[in-house]
Amino acid sequence: MKKPGKGGNITIYDIAKKAGVSPSTVSRVINNRPGVGAATRKRLQKLLKEYNYFPNEAARSLVNQTSRFIGILIDDIRTIHHTEGAYIIERQLVDLGYCCMIFNTGRGNESKARYIEIMRTRRVDGVVMMGSTFQNGEVAASINQLLLITLFDRILLTIGGRQRQSIAPA
């Protein structure tokens, strides 16, 4: 079996083959689910540690239909108010189990629309747009297909269409 650093990452299929169990059994151990005997669980945990296994979040996102990524779009990252706001938002989203991607879009509407398209193709769970320059017709047209948009100056942060956290600017 491959060792990390010698040809690739270990998958649950590799671990399952080595242990003589099904991949779903390995998955149940990784996710701390019931249905696995104590001896098998212990043996799998040992193998997972031995082979330095870590979950593939891209594979999880395909199964769960959620990326756990939030895009934060800032028109000029040099603006201290936006930088501080991005810091607060990112910290709170991490506490909620999300990973953030911060993008410096520039002030041009075409550039903003391009970054919104990137968010769509990356299948982010939400987008936070910081700054009033996102409020125009060209940008609005490019966000119509996204499920969630939150404007920072509106203070309310929502994820997946439901309110999750109110964020007050520093």
Side-chain angles (χ1 to χ4, degrees):
M1 187 173 348
K2 303 173 276 190
K3 287 267 189 182
K6 296 192 187 255
N9 295 323
I10 299 300
T11 69
I12 64 171
Y13 301 100
D14 298 325
I15 298 292
K17 184 175 180 182
K18 178 77 173 168
V21 299
S22 71
S24 61
T25 301
V26 178
S27 177
R28 284 193 293 273
V29 170
I30 291 166
N31 294 304
N32 201 27
R33 302 265 192 249
V36 180
T40 302
R41 183 176 298 276
K42 187 173 182 176
R43 186 166 42 100
L44 286 171
Q45 288 169 334
K46 182 179 177 187
L47 280 172
L48 291 165
K49 185 174 183 175
E50 178 184 336
Y51 287 98
N52 196 26
Y53 173 83
F54 56 92
N56 180 332
E57 290 300 326
R60 278 187 175 181
S61 71
L62 289 173
V63 171
N64 297 328
Q65 295 294 301
T66 179
S67 67
R68 305 300 293 171
F69 273 103
I70 302 290
I72 300 176
L73 304 182
I74 304 173
D75 66 358
D76 188 344
I77 202 156
R78 298 171 297 182
T79 304
I80 192 72
H81 172 71
H82 294 160
T83 305
E84 289 175 356
Y87 174 80
I88 293 166
I89 291 168
E90 189 270 344
R91 293 288 74 205
Q92 292 192 14
L93 285 169
V94 166
D95 288 346
L96 293 170
Y98 289 87
C99 185
C100 295
M101 297 182 288
I102 299 174
F103 293 95
N104 184 40
T105 66
R107 297 203 181 268
N109 292 340
E110 193 173 294
S111 175
K112 287 181 179 72
R114 185 171 62 247
Y115 278 99
I116 292 165
E117 183 62 27
I118 289 169
M119 297 296 96
R120 185 178 301 123
T121 62
R122 296 288 178 168
R123 304 288 195 256
V124 298
D125 290 341
V127 177
V128 178
M129 297 178 175
M130 299 182 67
S132 61
T133 62
F134 287 98
Q135 299 175 31
N136 64 66
E138 190 173 336
V139 172
S142 66
I143 65 176
N144 279 338
Q145 294 179 24
L146 287 177
L147 297 176
L148 166 71
I149 299 296
T150 298
L151 296 173
F152 176 67
D153 59 359
R154 298 297 183 265
I155 307 304
L156 181 64
L157 175 66
T158 60
I159 300 170
R162 297 187 314 262
Q163 180 177 343
R164 296 288 182 120
Q165 188 77 29
S166 292
I167 297 178

